[in-house]
Amino acid sequence: MATINSKIPEGPISEKWTNFKAHQKLVNPANKRKLDIIVVGTGLAGASAAASLGEMGFKVFNFCIQDSPRRAHSIAAQGGINAAKNYQNDGDSVYRLFYDTVKGGDYRAREANVYRLAEVSANIIDQCVAQGVPFAREYGGLLANRSFGGVQVSRTFYAKGQTGQQLLLGAYSALMCQVHAGTVKLFCRYEMQDVVIIDGRARGIIAKNLITGKLERFAAHAVVLATGGYGNTYFLSTNAMGCNCSAAIAAYRKGAYFANPAFVQIHPTCIPVHGDKQSKLTLMSESLRNDGRIWVPKKLEDAKKLQEGKIQGRDIPEEDRDYYLERRYPAFGNLVPRDVASRAAKERCDKGYGVNSTGLAVFLDFSEAIQRLGRDAVEQRYGNLFDMYEEITDVSPYDNPMMIYPAIHYTMGGLWVDYELQTNIPGLFAIGECNFSDHGANRLGASALMQGLADGYFVLPYTIQNYLSDQITVPRFSTDLPEFAAAEKAVNDRIDHLMNIKGKESVDSIHKKLGHVMWEYVGMARTKEGLEKALGLLKDIRKEFETNLFVPGSKEGLNVELDKALRLNDFITMGQLIAYDALNRNESCGGHFREEYQTEDGEAKRDDQNCFYVSCWEYQGSDEKAPVMYKEPLKYEAIEVKTRNYKN
Amino acid sequence: MWLCNSSIGRKVIMSVTGVALILFLTFHACMNVVALFSEEGYNTVCELLGANWYAVAATLVLAALVAIHFIYAIILTLQNRKARGSNRYAVTDRPEKVEWASQNMFVLGVIVVVGLLLHLYNFWYNMMFAELIGDPYMGPCYAGDGYGYIVETFSNPILTVLYVVWFVAIWFHLTHGFWSALQTLGWNGKVWFQRWKTIGTWYVTILMALFLVVALKFAFCGGAC
Amino acid sequence: MAKNISFTIKYWKQNGPKDAGHFEQREMKDIPDDTSFLEMLDILNEELIEEGKEPFVFDHDCREGICGMCSLYINGTPHGKTETGATTCQLYMRRFNDGDVITVEPWRSAAFPVIKDCMVDRSAFDKIQQAGGYITVRTGAPQDANAILIPKQNADEAMDCATCIGCGACVAACKNGSAMLFVSSKVSQFALLPQGRPEAAKRAKAMVAKMDELGFGNCTNTRACEAVCPKNESIANIARLNREFIKAKLND
């Protein structure tokens, strides 16, 4: 049995990070030039890390699958970024942000990591403002804030409904500055296929040039994965079409532990599914819940009429509306954390109160806000979101309540990393959504951007030196080493295999089947029977993939279908991992809800006696074999563990 | 030199020469108006602008302005065609906001230049050039008799029609050129955009109306009324 | 309620930058009008794959109008025609009628060579950014964010400039293949903020020089870029860039 060493520094929680930085090993400037670092991904975490490392003097190779680093899906984050600045004088502090994040994560996050995140959060805002990120301001010229789900202070900084875009463009501009300076070399339209391990350390990657179709080898002293989450396992999610988990799964297959895969966040405010041709789900920012009120009809017959299209939301009088979040959670109302809001919506729809033709939607109503603030003020705050909603649904939210339903949005699970963001493979680091560490079982709104940038700007550039300091005598590697050749050959064989199946099913049709199984049995509400069934069905899907897949074209040159097929192979492995972990975790917490474990009034029931751990899954050499789980026990010293209560 | 080797610099040259030519047209229009009221007055002005050093110098400057404006238009157009690439769109749809003139400035400019050549042949060649070579009687009228040349030219209905077409082309060219020049020089913004467009349209319309009135007056009643 | 429409789609096939390229045509039957344009192309591709053919290649990613990856020239307009301005992925089939012929072309500009079909290479935009589209700031501990006061109006205006998604529709629409709207939006964002002023002159000069070098055309103020910009960037930015550039050059 492997031992899990999370390398948490000694000392009281508020001094751990300071102590670490004071005592860690550093690399001197002359030696930095001799060290190469590969950063895969150019989202908030990847771009900020690549830019910071390049600026420090390392030689950085940065990879992205899109045509430009600026396309990374961090760009789609709408609402904002948290920081413990206490600019609003509402009693915010590093401790409170830390506390809210741990509590919001249902006490399944690693305490020391979260505290560090809260500590550096304020620096992020300073850094971004210095870069020229145009955050919203008050008339006096000071920064403005708003509140977000799951907290009682206003600590969210925002740039209209495009905060992710602005932060990413900030990191992107820093990255472009370094590319110009020659410290970072950029590889666009390249996809990492495998990580190369030499003598137990990560020493490079095999990447596919998506334009030429050729496999290329890259060597470095360390490899950083910033490749995002695995939400697209469910086919329909709020992720971009290209988001995939292949880099993380490649690392997992090479021995990196995958932690807490069952913790998948379902976002409560997405535009409902409209048909089976749909390719993705569109998120409506959580910030809408600041002023929008969520409801379904009180009477089943009204819901029936809505489902049949006989009446519209605005036709139902006030007294017949059930504002179920305000009813169930008076203290937080419409601003309960995402997992709670999502389950409450599902509960109402399962009871038959759904408001659209599929019965899988609830209302998000702005009529009261429009009355209170005036249409102009509402337009000022949410205008672009309303326009987007109308473009998609052909319904104006000014006249009729929006319809929303939960959808897969973010994955808290990811590659296991220690306090230094290093996986259990020396030299292999994981940052941003790609790792597991900071959000526990559920992520609070506006915390993903915070974590991505914290890792990339302020954590990894320090911790990676602790590893690299004893690598300064290691000369640059040749990509002619047999390890590179073997890794490349394995990928090549895989490609040849997929091209030669020549079956009948397209990649998307198999992916849709996978998504259906995942949403049905490994989605918002899970049961033991359902998960076991899912594992069986996933076996069938893998078999179909291996025997009946059809990839048109050739492996030479650009082949979009081949690239999708390579990713789907990993999504199936990911799906199995999620199901194994969900089956293993006999409790309900955060984004993981097992129907067997709930209170009488339908709230999640955590099991702190038996489930106080991070599950770390180890690959057993084949996708056919069940992975083995190790536990990293969670210790809370600075926080008293309580049942989450958003009622009062 | 940034004026020649940067895209904005080249555009600045277009703008500055363009604005100067608009100012010249303004002067020319004022001069023409005199012909509406007084034959002697007009001929006095012509006399003033006869074969003397300052008139010749101004003419050379004017010719240089036109030449630079035109040569740069050719350079820019060729560069822009190259930038567009070798494949053309099969279907194009001009958005409402885009004025027709703005997309056809070069074609309009060519029409303007052809009109200009005609105009120079009708007037300048017979008047100033004649004086310069010392043969004031080479045209149908005496070189100093500008008024006579106006009457002579617009008594020909074909020439009148050509002149009207020319004026219309200049009008189109300037409705875009006026605010476009200011935009290129950076004297524009969200607020001033509409203002400049309105000012430009009125200015250019009044300017070209003055030219048109003179032409039509002489076309329909010669020197008689 | 959604209704179904049938139409003809003509789409551009081109096998690399040197290939001449041609249109292919296909009848699409009973497509629900609440399908997005890209989902309609997904259906087209599923049909093609079912027949053993290679799919029609186009760029797309986030499908929520923000990443700037999608780039189709639809019926003569970049991203297709909508009233509010939207990217291709936010275009819905309800904008079309039964029996329409829909022509889909790539961005056509010398600076954006075709990679395959309707996928073009927009790396020129990255190169322009690299030339100066940033504020030089070291990662670490800059001054407190509230130490720099920025009037709300300036911050809002900078934000409007910063919303550019770098899709390249401006270049695609411009008869001159000019990238001025893109460049000016970036220059404007930083020019409007106090943090960006120290490098303003250098930035304007460097980005314009790179833009010229990469073969983009000269702006002739036709406003086609502004008309098709999915993020409603204004040509007031272009005036600002001109101002910044001329000022910088005159001060040299």
Side-chain angles (χ1 to χ4, degrees):
Chain A
M1 159 116 192
T3 50
I4 307 278
N5 179 4
S6 48
K7 295 198 209 156
I8 297 169
E10 294 301 312
I13 191 140
S14 59
E15 287 164 28
K16 284 183 194 293
W17 180 231
T18 317
N19 284 344
F20 176 85
K21 284 193 290 183
H23 301 295
Q24 73 161 116
K25 290 177 277 180
L26 292 173
V27 180
N28 84 22
N31 285 328
K32 281 179 186 149
R33 285 195 290 276
K34 297 184 203 155
L35 295 170
D36 300 345
I37 302 172
I38 285 173
V39 179
V40 187
T42 59
L44 283 181
S48 57
S52 302
L53 292 168
E55 181 207 286
M56 290 161 81
F58 295 106
K59 180 88 192 134
V60 180
F61 304 103
N62 196 190
F63 295 80
C64 77
I65 59 171
Q66 296 94 343
D67 68 334
S68 162
R70 63 182 295 157
R71 315 278 185 222
H73 199 54
S74 306
I75 205 157
Q78 297 168 349
I81 176 164
N82 288 330
K85 280 280 197 188
N86 194 31
Y87 281 162
Q88 302 301 320
N89 192 29
D90 51 7
D92 199 9
S93 64
V94 168
Y95 184 85
R96 190 171 285 274
L97 173 54
F98 156 67
Y99 176 83
D100 285 342
T101 308
V102 170
K103 178 188 173 196
D106 225 351
Y107 304 94
R108 291 293 175 269
R110 192 190 286 148
E111 199 183 54
N113 286 48
V114 180
Y115 196 88
R116 175 178 64 190
L117 175 67
E119 258 182 300
V120 301
S121 67
N123 300 22
I124 298 172
I125 303 302
D126 300 342
Q127 181 71 26
C128 294
V129 167
Q131 283 171 345
V133 171
F135 283 120
R137 301 245 164 195
E138 292 162 359
Y139 281 101
L142 295 168
L143 288 157
N145 290 106
R146 59 182 168 208
S147 62
F148 242 67
V151 300
Q152 288 172 314
V153 293
S154 284
R155 63 160 75 99
T156 305
F157 294 80
Y158 62 100
K160 279 196 178 163
Q162 290 131 281
T163 318
Q165 181 199 26
Q166 292 313 313
L167 294 173
L168 181 67
L169 292 182
Y172 163 73
S173 66
L175 179 63
M176 290 297 103
C177 181
Q178 291 309 312
V179 173
H180 185 64
T183 59
V184 178
K185 198 161 182 326
L186 199 57
F187 297 87
C188 295
R189 297 199 197 260
Y190 273 75
E191 184 157 4
M192 173 183 143
Q193 300 295 329
D194 206 354
V195 54
V196 179
I197 313 278
I198 299 177
D199 295 335
R201 292 172 188 262
R203 292 301 192 190
I205 63 167
I206 304 294
K208 183 169 183 266
N209 179 330
L210 299 180
I211 303 291
T212 63
K214 290 203 170 64
L215 295 176
E216 296 177 25
R217 305 171 187 182
F218 298 90
H221 292 87
V223 176
V224 180
L225 300 185
T227 51
Y230 47 87
N232 267 350
T233 309
Y234 290 79
F235 188 70
L236 283 180
S237 80
T238 64
N239 285 5
M241 304 303 286
C243 291
N244 67 78
C245 59
S246 289
I249 289 293
Y252 162 71
R253 290 209 183 98
K254 283 281 161 90
Y257 300 147
F258 210 106
N260 290 341
F263 293 157
V264 174
Q265 180 165 80
I266 319 254
H267 197 293
T269 54
C270 297
I271 298 177
V273 178
H274 60 70
D276 63 341
K277 301 294 183 199
Q278 194 159 357
S279 58
K280 83 152 264 158
L281 296 170
T282 304
L283 176 77
M284 288 281 109
S285 170
E286 177 161 325
S287 62
L288 290 169
R289 286 200 275 148
N290 273 314
D291 289 307
R293 299 176 71 195
I294 295 174
W295 62 276
V296 292
K298 269 184 190 157
K299 299 177 189 155
L300 262 179
E301 60 262 32
D302 282 347
K304 279 262 149 47
K305 280 187 210 155
L306 284 166
Q307 287 160 15
E308 288 159 5
K310 285 180 185 156
I311 55 169
Q312 289 182 302
R314 61 177 173 215
D315 302 332
I316 296 174
E318 188 63 29
E319 63 272 18
D320 289 337
R321 299 178 175 189
D322 173 18
Y323 295 94
Y324 58 88
L325 287 177
E326 295 169 27
R327 168 168 63 79
R328 284 175 69 177
Y329 310 100
F332 280 70
N334 293 299
L335 287 174
V336 289
R338 292 175 175 175
D339 56 333
V340 179
S342 293
R343 272 198 303 279
K346 179 175 158 56
E347 186 271 339
R348 283 290 87 187
C349 292
D350 287 351
K351 293 254 164 70
Y353 292 94
V355 298
N356 70 353
S357 58
T358 59
L360 296 174
V362 299
F363 285 128
L364 177 61
D365 197 335
F366 288 86
S367 54
E368 189 258 349
I370 290 170
Q371 262 177 21
R372 176 165 47 90
L373 304 162
R375 192 187 152 121
D376 285 349
V378 171
E379 192 175 341
Q380 176 79 18
R381 278 183 207 179
Y382 308 113
N384 57 340
L385 295 171
F386 280 23
D387 289 348
M388 182 162 140
Y389 181 86
E390 187 171 355
E391 194 60 44
I392 295 173
T393 62
D394 215 15
V395 174
S396 165
Y398 296 107
D399 307 330
N400 228 330
M402 274 186 185
M403 287 188 204
I404 52 162
Y405 198 66
I408 300 288
H409 178 55
Y410 184 88
T411 54
M412 282 73 68
L415 288 175
W416 181 88
V417 288
D418 59 23
Y419 188 74
E420 298 172 23
L421 303 182
Q422 185 166 227
T423 66
N424 54 310
I425 299 176
L428 182 67
F429 294 78
I431 56 176
E433 189 179 352
C434 185
N435 74 27
F436 87 103
S437 66
D438 295 351
H439 304 298
N442 174 53
R443 180 176 65 77
L444 288 181
S447 285
L449 301 181
M450 173 171 71
Q451 188 223 341
L453 290 179
D455 287 359
Y457 282 132
F458 298 110
V459 181
L460 182 85
Y462 284 97
T463 59
I464 200 169
Q465 293 188 65
N466 211 25
Y467 169 76
L468 288 172
S469 62
D470 61 2
Q471 299 292 305
I472 49 178
T473 52
V474 180
R476 292 198 158 94
F477 289 85
S478 157
T479 51
D480 296 332
L481 291 170
E483 286 87 348
F484 278 95
E488 184 184 311
K489 184 176 179 300
V491 177
N492 216 350
D493 290 349
R494 183 81 210 143
I495 290 172
D496 285 336
H497 169 66
L498 294 179
M499 293 304 300
N500 289 328
I501 298 172
K502 296 202 165 66
K504 291 242 178 319
E505 291 279 331
S506 70
V507 179
D508 278 356
S509 65
I510 299 177
H511 198 167
K512 275 182 189 173
K513 284 178 198 167
L514 170 67
H516 184 75
V517 169
M518 294 302 293
W519 181 247
E520 197 61 29
Y521 303 107
V522 201
M524 252 194 293
R526 302 158 174 176
T527 62
K528 182 168 181 287
E529 293 70 40
L531 290 165
E532 279 163 351
K533 187 168 178 196
L535 281 168
L537 291 168
L538 290 174
K539 272 213 172 93
D540 299 343
I541 288 173
R542 175 162 321 268
K543 196 169 164 212
E544 184 167 20
F545 177 82
E546 292 289 345
T547 57
N548 200 21
L549 176 75
F550 172 64
V551 180
S554 81
K555 71 172 186 175
E556 317 294 336
L558 179 81
N559 189 336
V560 179
E561 286 297 305
L562 173 60
D563 299 332
K564 278 175 13 187
L566 286 162
R567 294 171 196 164
L568 179 56
N569 183 33
D570 301 327
F571 280 132
I572 300 173
T573 308
M574 192 65 234
Q576 288 172 319
L577 257 178
I578 302 172
Y580 278 123
D581 193 39
L583 187 60
N584 185 274
R585 194 170 274 281
N586 290 315
E587 63 166 345
S588 292
C589 65
H592 169 65
F593 189 78
R594 284 276 298 268
E595 285 182 3
E596 303 94 321
Y597 306 99
Q598 56 181 315
T599 61
E600 274 160 23
D601 48 358
E603 302 298 334
K605 206 156 120 193
R606 251 177 24 223
D607 180 357
D608 290 343
Q609 289 298 315
N610 302 306
C611 298
F612 230 0
Y613 62 84
V614 173
S615 54
C616 309
W617 294 88
E618 187 184 50
Y619 190 64
Q620 296 301 310
S622 153
D623 286 328
E624 310 294 326
K625 282 190 201 158
V628 170
M629 192 196 73
Y630 307 117
K631 291 179 183 175
E632 177 199 339
L634 288 169
K635 283 191 233 65
Y636 284 99
E637 289 161 359
I639 276 186
E640 185 198 348
V641 178
K642 289 184 196 157
T643 305
R644 276 200 309 174
N645 177 0
Y646 293 99
K647 287 177 191 289
N648 43 48
Chain B
M1 178 62 176
W2 66 277
L3 283 172
C4 310
N5 57 23
S6 75
S7 60
I8 296 178
R10 287 186 289 265
K11 289 287 298 161
V12 166
I13 288 182
M14 289 300 283
S15 306
V16 172
T17 51
V19 169
L21 290 170
I22 292 178
L23 291 176
F24 164 73
L25 281 182
T26 311
F27 165 75
H28 198 318
C30 296
M31 189 181 100
N32 286 8
V33 173
V34 177
L36 286 179
F37 303 110
S38 155
E39 182 176 349
E40 293 81 36
Y42 187 76
N43 280 345
T44 314
V45 176
C46 290
E47 198 110 344
L48 224 61
L49 299 174
N52 48 57
W53 70 269
Y54 51 84
V56 172
T59 308
L60 289 176
V61 169
L62 207 54
L65 285 176
V66 174
I68 294 171
H69 195 79
F70 192 63
I71 290 167
Y72 265 82
I74 294 173
I75 297 173
L76 289 168
T77 304
L78 289 176
Q79 280 181 339
N80 291 347
R81 281 188 67 83
K82 196 174 149 216
R84 198 81 206 80
S86 46
N87 264 324
R88 303 278 136 178
Y89 289 116
V91 183
T92 47
D93 183 10
R94 182 162 59 85
E96 267 168 50
K97 266 180 152 180
V98 177
E99 300 150 24
W100 174 83
S102 73
Q103 297 204 303
N104 295 283
M105 286 297 274
F106 188 72
V107 177
L108 288 167
V110 169
I111 297 173
V112 172
V113 167
V114 170
L116 180 66
L117 293 176
L118 176 71
H119 178 62
L120 290 176
Y121 175 72
N122 287 154
F123 290 85
W124 183 83
Y125 177 73
N126 287 329
M127 293 167 69
M128 197 158 165
F129 187 73
E131 281 187 30
L132 285 174
I133 60 166
D135 180 13
Y137 296 98
M138 68 179 236
C141 307
Y142 171 67
D145 184 12
Y147 193 85
Y149 276 110
I150 300 183
V151 174
E152 163 78 19
T153 305
F154 292 107
S155 64
N156 181 343
I158 295 173
L159 279 180
T160 305
V161 169
L162 287 177
Y163 268 81
V164 170
V165 170
W166 187 42
F167 293 156
V168 171
I170 298 177
W171 182 84
F172 271 113
H173 195 80
L174 295 192
T175 50
H176 176 70
F178 187 95
W179 75 263
S180 178
L182 292 160
Q183 163 87 7
T184 298
L185 294 172
W187 290 322
N188 209 349
K190 272 188 184 147
V191 178
W192 273 91
F193 173 70
Q194 206 45 52
R195 292 183 190 168
W196 279 131
K197 269 202 87 163
T198 310
I199 293 170
T201 309
W202 276 101
Y203 187 87
V204 170
T205 306
I206 292 168
L207 186 65
M208 296 321 292
L210 291 178
F211 282 110
L212 192 66
V213 164
V214 174
L216 293 179
K217 188 256 176 190
F218 287 95
F220 287 108
C221 36
C225 52
Chain C
M1 283 287 112
K3 65 177 197 310
N4 290 354
I5 56 170
S6 300
F7 50 87
T8 307
I9 181 154
K10 273 175 75 180
Y11 55 97
W12 185 256
K13 292 289 284 180
Q14 183 174 340
N15 223 342
K18 300 234 167 63
D19 184 39
H22 64 279
F23 281 106
E24 277 179 19
Q25 192 164 325
R26 197 176 182 90
E27 305 296 321
M28 301 296 291
K29 293 259 179 297
D30 299 324
I31 304 294
D33 71 353
D34 60 357
T35 310
S36 78
F37 195 84
L38 295 185
E39 283 162 5
M40 181 275 289
L41 293 179
D42 290 342
I43 298 171
L44 166 77
N45 278 344
E46 280 292 298
E47 289 180 15
L48 289 171
I49 293 166
E50 211 158 280
E51 294 165 17
K53 293 180 185 144
E54 278 196 55
F56 167 53
V57 176
F58 55 94
D59 263 330
H60 63 99
D61 200 21
C62 78
R63 297 209 177 184
E64 46 190 280
I66 193 76
C67 76
M69 191 105 173
C70 56
S71 46
L72 296 176
Y73 197 87
I74 302 160
N75 282 350
T77 306
H79 294 307
K81 216 172 198 168
T82 56
E83 286 109 41
T84 47
T87 53
T88 306
C89 61
Q90 299 292 87
L91 179 70
Y92 281 77
M93 294 314 292
R94 69 176 79 89
R95 298 268 173 200
F96 300 90
N97 299 312
D98 217 40
D100 276 1
V101 177
I102 303 173
T103 310
V104 185
E105 299 176 71
W107 284 179
R108 294 193 197 277
S109 160
F112 292 164
V114 170
I115 294 170
K116 191 173 184 178
D117 300 353
C118 285
M119 182 186 274
V120 299
D121 179 2
R122 284 169 289 185
S123 55
F125 272 10
D126 281 339
K127 291 185 187 130
I128 295 175
Q129 286 270 358
Q130 285 157 20
Y134 45 77
I135 291 173
T136 309
V137 48
R138 195 164 291 123
T139 307
Q143 61 188 327
D144 185 84
N146 258 349
I148 314 167
L149 293 183
I150 302 173
K152 181 170 165 33
Q153 200 190 339
N154 285 25
D156 287 351
E157 212 176 324
M159 176 66 204
D160 288 341
C161 302
T163 51
C164 164
I165 55 174
C167 64
C170 45
V171 178
C174 179
K175 75 180 187 61
N176 309 324
S178 167
M180 282 289 273
L181 192 63
F182 167 77
V183 176
S184 66
S185 298
K186 202 73 224 167
V187 167
S188 290
Q189 178 199 341
F190 294 136
L192 284 161
L193 296 171
Q195 307 94 297
R197 288 313 309 174
E199 289 172 290
K202 182 171 162 253
R203 179 180 306 115
K205 286 187 286 185
M207 289 180 80
V208 169
K210 184 52 89 172
M211 170 184 86
D212 292 346
E213 179 197 320
L214 292 168
F216 290 100
N218 306 284
C219 172
T220 60
N221 304 323
T222 67
R223 298 174 70 206
C225 51
E226 180 184 66
V228 302
C229 176
K231 297 294 156 186
N232 302 316
E233 291 299 338
S234 158
I235 59 156
N237 293 343
I238 298 183
R240 190 180 291 103
L241 169 61
N242 291 336
R243 202 153 63 228
E244 292 283 334
F245 180 84
I246 295 170
K247 216 162 64 185
K249 286 292 185 185
L250 291 178
N251 283 336
D252 270 352

